[in-house]
Amino acid sequence: MTLDHSDAEIAALLSSLDPEDPAVMSRLHDRLATAAAGEHTLDIAYRTVDSPLGPLLLAATERGMVRVAFAAEDHDAVLQRLAEKLSPRILRSAARLDPAARELDEYFAGKRRLFDLPLDLSLSRGFRLSVLQHLPHIAYGRTESYAEVALATGSPRAVRAVGTACATNPLPVIVPCHRVVKSDGSLGNYLGGIDAKRTLLELEAA
């Protein structure tokens, strides 16, 4: 990254302020993120947000939201995998994730039924991608069985593959795999845990 006026200001911060001061480091980090985004050297931005399901990691590329991760997935490990699969140019940047954080807040408050966010589905391929593209068509407050999703995606025998696609969904909550249940009405598995799936379904049923 070349030294421009913003970078000079960052250097001044480093030389004149205590780098152990959290407020200073936060401002410095924000400057770095802004400079990186301006020079198109920031491929993946991330932040964490609080939610009724615990802290969620949000990550986005310039194309859109690429990852939502539960704490149980180990956020550091998720970031490492993103760096390996997509790009090592990854940095915490709250600004790029502000719209996602706001829409998630509205969703958990019961004020939003549809997410209006650009998505980057580059982490999914083939049949799994077909399943993810179908999931937003399951209406808020409704559910479909794994068998129904398999049929809707043109592969009626691929029931287990639907389960795998939901289990590896890189954008849970936003891409609503929690709305897919077993044919007998039981919840089935969920990346964030059964309690998280139940919480989401109860929120939407309220």
Side-chain angles (χ1 to χ4, degrees):
M1 187 184 297
T2 58
L3 185 67
D4 61 13
H5 181 67
S6 295
D7 294 328
E9 291 178 346
I10 291 170
L13 274 173
L14 280 174
S15 62
S16 64
L17 299 173
D18 182 2
E20 294 185 1
D21 183 339
V24 171
M25 296 308 293
S26 178
R27 292 199 302 272
L28 175 60
H29 196 286
D30 289 344
R31 291 283 185 87
L32 283 169
T34 300
E39 296 187 8
H40 302 287
T41 57
L42 174 59
D43 291 334
I44 305 172
Y46 74 90
R47 67 178 290 184
T48 56
V49 296
D50 292 328
S51 82
L53 309 178
L56 298 175
L57 172 72
L58 311 181
T61 66
E62 290 190 348
R63 295 173 58 185
M65 290 294 299
V66 73
R67 194 72 168 87
V68 175
F70 298 100
E73 298 179 73
D74 185 345
H75 291 170
D76 288 340
V78 171
L79 292 172
Q80 179 61 36
R81 287 193 292 273
L82 287 174
E84 293 169 354
K85 291 183 176 182
L86 297 181
S87 172
R89 298 192 299 188
I90 181 168
L91 190 67
R92 180 175 58 80
S93 177
R96 187 185 291 183
L97 279 306
D98 277 347
R102 181 177 61 254
E103 291 198 14
L104 282 166
D105 281 343
E106 293 168 353
Y107 169 79
F108 286 120
K111 299 177 180 178
R112 173 175 291 275
R113 295 192 170 197
L114 294 173
F115 288 98
D116 185 24
L117 298 167
L119 303 181
D120 180 348
L121 298 177
S122 59
L123 291 173
S124 300
R125 298 282 191 277
F127 182 71
R128 293 183 185 183
L129 178 59
S130 297
V131 171
L132 297 190
Q133 290 171 332
H134 171 74
L135 295 180
H137 296 287
I138 306 175
Y140 182 98
R142 303 293 296 274
T143 61
E144 287 185 7
S145 69
Y146 293 99
E148 288 172 325
V149 174
L151 181 62
T153 52
S155 300
R157 296 184 178 181
V159 176
R160 288 194 177 187
V162 169
T164 300
C166 290
T168 57
N169 176 11
L171 290 163
V173 185
I174 292 174
V175 176
C177 58
H178 60 274
R179 296 176 190 161
V180 184
V181 299
K182 290 185 176 182
S183 296
D184 63 4
S186 59
L187 296 186
N189 295 323
Y190 189 60
L191 184 60
I194 293 299
D195 287 343
K197 187 170 187 175
R198 183 178 293 107
T199 295
L200 293 170
L201 292 175
E202 289 177 351
L203 167 68
E204 295 184 1

